[in-house]
Amino acid sequence: ADYPEARPWTDRYVLAAEKETIGFYVSGHPLDRYAREVKLHTDCDTARVQTRAPRDVVTLAGVIVSRRERLLKSGDGRMAFLQLEDRAGDVEVIVYAKTYPDVRAVIESDEPVLVKGSVRVDGDGEERAVKVVADEIVSLAAARERWVSEVVLDVDARQIDDAWVRQLGDVAAAFPGRCRVALDIDYALAAAEIRLPESLTLAASDDVTHELTSRLGAKVRLR
């Protein structure tokens, strides 16, 4: 039988489908695609935060797996209680009313996030519960756009022809951004890195990485 040609699913779509269908991730974790950002911009995870002292400032990355909100008794604003999950476990994140308006859109987006805040310890002994009071929450996608300045394509010289170049131009037109583009070209006996003109720039997004990998067969690095 002949089957229609279809574009591959993105990793993000696959993981979301796994979570919705069976309740947990099988092929990876949403943080995997942000490994660079997690390594550079966090100093803690949900396991290590359990050993931190009250009022310590920490930065964690994770996925918000549950959220509940509470209207203040005064009726003037609301706060939120989030369950933040990473590969090590989970921790409760408290968002007070003064912070809530600034982070509401992010915590409702289902995107992996960076959380910067202070450690709070409730109870003692077996009743001891470590929580994080959030001062700032940003999506990892936004953090990537803020901190990445260059997209590097690792590619075999034999792949590059007129059609390949046109495909790269199509991706740049579809996903414009501020990141310069460099080609790390592997020749048979040597390698060379070529930085492309400033007129060709890209966004540092998951969609760009997916398009460059699936359409151009290139390994993508962000720096």
Side-chain angles (χ1 to χ4, degrees), residues 62-123:
V63 180
I64 298 170
V65 294
S66 68
R67 179 183 80 250
R68 57 188 177 87
E69 299 177 358
R70 178 186 299 169
L71 187 67
L72 298 185
K73 291 182 178 179
S74 65
D76 184 22
R78 63 181 59 224
M79 59 188 297
F81 302 88
L82 317 174
Q83 205 66 25
L84 185 76
E85 176 191 278
D86 62 12
R87 283 189 168 276
D90 57 74
V91 68
E92 184 176 72
V93 176
I94 302 171
V95 181
Y96 285 124
K98 65 178 181 180
T99 306
Y100 178 84
D102 296 330
V103 304
R104 179 179 179 180
V106 176
I107 65 178
E108 292 179 349
S109 70
D110 294 328
E111 284 292 317
V113 296
L114 279 176
V115 177
K116 182 178 181 180
S118 56
V119 174
R120 167 175 150 180
V121 180
D122 294 342

Side-chain angles (χ1 to χ4, degrees), residues 148 150-154 184 193 219-223:
V148 171
E150 192 167 50
V151 177
V152 183
L153 310 184
D154 293 333
D184 195 343
E193 182 172 299
K219 178 182 177 182
V220 181
R221 292 182 286 122
L222 305 175
R223 65 187 183 193

Side-chain angles (χ1 to χ4, degrees), residues 9 26 32 41 48 93 104 106 113 127-128 137 208:
W9 288 349
V26 175
D32 291 347
H41 304 297
R48 286 181 288 154
V93 176
R104 179 179 179 180
V106 176
V113 296
E127 301 299 321
R128 184 177 186 271
I137 303 177
V208 167

Side-chain angles (χ1 to χ4, degrees), residues 179-196:
C179 295
R180 295 286 303 274
V181 180
L183 305 182
D184 195 343
I185 305 175
D186 183 23
Y187 296 94
L189 300 176
E193 182 172 299
I194 300 173
R195 180 170 291 179
L196 299 185

Side-chain angles (χ1 to χ4, degrees), residues 130-159:
V130 174
K131 304 175 183 181
V132 176
V133 177
D135 294 319
E136 183 181 6
I137 303 177
V138 298
S139 73
L140 277 164
R144 172 179 288 178
E145 289 286 351
R146 183 187 308 174
W147 291 313
V148 171
S149 60
E150 192 167 50
V151 177
V152 183
L153 310 184
D154 293 333
V155 60
D156 190 303
R158 291 169 296 183
Q159 294 176 255

